[in-house]
Amino acid sequence: LDRYLSSNQEALQDRKKFQLIAMTCLYTAVKVHEPEAMEPQLVVTMSNGMYSVEEIQSTEKLILYHLKYFMNPPTPISFVRQFVDLIPSGSLGKEEIR
């Protein structure tokens, strides 16, 4: 949401548009980071029917296009996790970790 809004200030001017974008970002984040995706109908239900499935899906496409599909950029912690996963378990003793 922050990355999208940092370069698209017009969404901050319209409350309804901002809410649609925020809910769509939540929907997309769940799809990216959780093992099970939520249905777009759940977002429609959460919005009390204010938005349709089509609006959610078209807004998701707009956001993804705007971010150039760069949804999960690498971070230092993600690098460390991948690096640590390469170390065979049990190869470091407690004294070696210090």
Side-chain angles (χ1 to χ4, degrees):
L1 178 62
D2 293 339
R3 286 179 46 220
Y4 180 78
L5 292 176
S6 68
S7 60
N8 189 349
Q9 297 292 317
E10 70 182 49
L12 295 171
Q13 306 304 317
D14 180 10
R15 180 181 175 152
K16 186 176 178 181
K17 188 173 186 175
F18 175 78
Q19 185 178 15
L20 173 61
I21 291 168
M23 294 183 84
T24 303
C25 286
L26 172 66
Y27 166 69
T28 305
V30 168
K31 284 172 58 175
V32 170
H33 295 289
E34 295 299 322
E36 228 176 280
M38 71 167 90
E39 295 295 322
Q41 184 58 45
L42 179 59
V43 181
V44 172
T45 303
M46 289 183 345
S47 73
N48 291 325
M50 191 173 210
Y51 310 106
S52 67
V53 169
E54 292 78 21
E55 286 176 299
I56 299 295
Q57 291 173 335
S58 66
T59 302
E60 181 182 33
K61 288 177 186 175
L62 175 71
I63 292 168
L64 290 173
Y65 177 78
H66 191 77
L67 297 177
K68 297 176 177 67
Y69 289 84
F70 196 54
M71 297 298 299
N72 202 10
T75 62
I77 193 69
S78 65
F79 171 77
V80 169
R81 284 183 182 143
Q82 287 185 345
F83 185 74
V84 168
D85 286 343
L86 295 174
I87 300 171
S89 62
S91 66
L92 295 177
K94 288 182 182 179
E95 59 279 345
E96 293 178 42
I97 296 175
R98 295 181 199 165

